């Protein structure tokens, strides 16, 4: 993928995910008493349909609308590159790509329990500068965010959490600017996590 003449390549390794990334995700979610394990982390070749080049070009050029909402079509395009036969309906399926659209870092599909995250981002510059590699993790306080924090945020969506209308100045995980989960968010996430643990099909 190429954005603003900068070639973006896959750079996150499976060892990064099973090492610092999952450690940070679990540090963040410890406040809710929820911990995660990685069942499989490996590199996979994307599917290349006949219109592969057009799909990549669409993703590269995808922008947010005037209300700040990401283009939903780009996710539909991204999903065409993923082999559904390799997904596991009983777990969260996380797919890392170099880039998932202008100023976007992550997207969660609740019903599919699928999470798509870019390992390069131009969010900090609001799309004015070429994308840069995300940090794998970032010590608090929140400054620019990290791959682990984005994943923790998107996991929150798959556990039923939404973006708060107002963070009240609190650096909340689901507001995109921190790590804090509210008591109500913890209750919701624990309820859905327990449902998934007891009966994965019931949470879909």
């Amino acid at each position: 993928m190429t954005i603003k003449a900068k070639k973006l390549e896959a750079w996150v390794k499976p060892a990064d995910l099973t090492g610092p990334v999952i450690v940070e995700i679990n540090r963040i979610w410890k406040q809710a008493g929820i911990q995660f394990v990685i069942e499989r982390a490996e590199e996979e070749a994307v599917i290349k349909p006949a219109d592969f080049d057009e799909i990549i070009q669409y993703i590269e050029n995808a922008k947010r609308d005037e209300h700040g909402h990401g283009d939903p079509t780009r996710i539909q395009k991204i999903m065409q590159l993923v082999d559904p036969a390799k997904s596991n309906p009983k777990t969260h399926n996380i797919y890392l790509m170099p880039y998932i659209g202008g100023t976007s870092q992550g997207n969660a599909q609740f019903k599919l329990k699928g999470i798509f995250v870019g390992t390069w981002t131009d969010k900090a510059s609001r799309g004015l500068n070429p994308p840069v590699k995300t940090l794998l993790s970032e010590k608090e306080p929140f400054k620019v965010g990290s791959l682990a924090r984005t994943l923790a945020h998107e996991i929150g969506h798959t556990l039923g959490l939404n973006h708060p209308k107002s963070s009240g100045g609190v650096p909340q995980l689901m507001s995109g600017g921190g790590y804090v989960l509210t008591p109500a968010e913890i209750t919701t996430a624990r309820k859905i996590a327990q449902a998934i643990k007891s009966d994965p099909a019931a949470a879909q």
Side-chain angles (χ1 to χ4, degrees):
M1 306 184 83
T2 302
I3 311 296
K4 295 185 183 298
K6 187 169 186 176
K7 187 175 181 180
L8 313 184
E9 298 179 343
W11 63 274
V12 176
K13 303 299 182 184
D16 296 324
L17 300 175
T18 58
V21 172
I22 189 62
V23 168
E24 175 65 359
I25 290 172
N26 281 332
R27 183 194 71 80
I28 294 169
W29 276 94
K30 185 177 180 180
Q31 62 190 300
I34 300 174
Q35 298 287 270
F36 301 91
V37 296
I38 295 178
E39 294 189 355
R40 181 172 68 93
E42 59 187 50
E43 296 180 16
E44 291 183 2
V46 298
I47 294 175
K48 292 190 174 182
D51 59 345
F52 176 76
D53 291 339
E54 288 79 8
I55 290 174
I56 294 299
Q57 186 175 31
Y58 189 97
I59 297 168
E60 290 174 342
N61 295 322
K63 300 288 188 285
R64 293 182 183 272
D65 63 21
E66 63 273 17
H67 302 294
H69 300 140
D71 179 358
T73 302
R74 82 192 193 286
I75 301 301
Q76 297 172 16
K77 300 283 188 182
I78 289 172
M79 290 176 67
Q80 294 180 47
L81 309 178
V82 175
D83 185 354
K86 293 184 178 180
S87 65
N88 185 341
K90 297 182 179 180
T91 68
H92 290 81
N93 296 280
I94 297 174
Y95 304 95
L96 302 183
M97 298 185 63
Y99 190 73
I100 64 167
T103 68
S104 294
Q105 288 181 284
N107 181 274
Q109 299 294 307
F110 177 71
K111 291 184 178 180
L112 299 176
K113 295 206 293 293
I115 294 173
F116 303 92
V117 173
T119 58
W120 295 73
T121 180
D122 55 6
K123 188 173 183 178
S125 72
R126 298 182 180 179
L128 297 177
N129 299 327
V132 296
K133 290 181 179 179
T134 63
L135 299 174
L136 288 176
S137 62
E138 178 185 57
K139 293 182 178 180
E140 293 194 50
F142 175 92
K143 292 181 181 179
V144 298
S146 68
L147 178 63
R149 202 212 72 86
T150 299
L151 287 169
H153 173 98
E154 299 303 335
I155 288 170
H157 286 310
T158 66
L159 294 179
L161 306 186
N162 299 312
H163 296 147
K165 293 182 179 180
S166 174
S167 65
V170 178
Q172 293 182 27
L173 176 66
M174 299 312 297
S175 71
Y179 300 89
V180 176
L181 289 165
T182 67
E185 288 173 337
I186 289 173
T187 297
T188 297
R190 286 181 60 83
K191 180 179 179 180
I192 293 180
Q194 185 60 47
I196 292 173
K197 183 178 180 180
S198 301
D199 181 6
Q204 296 187 39

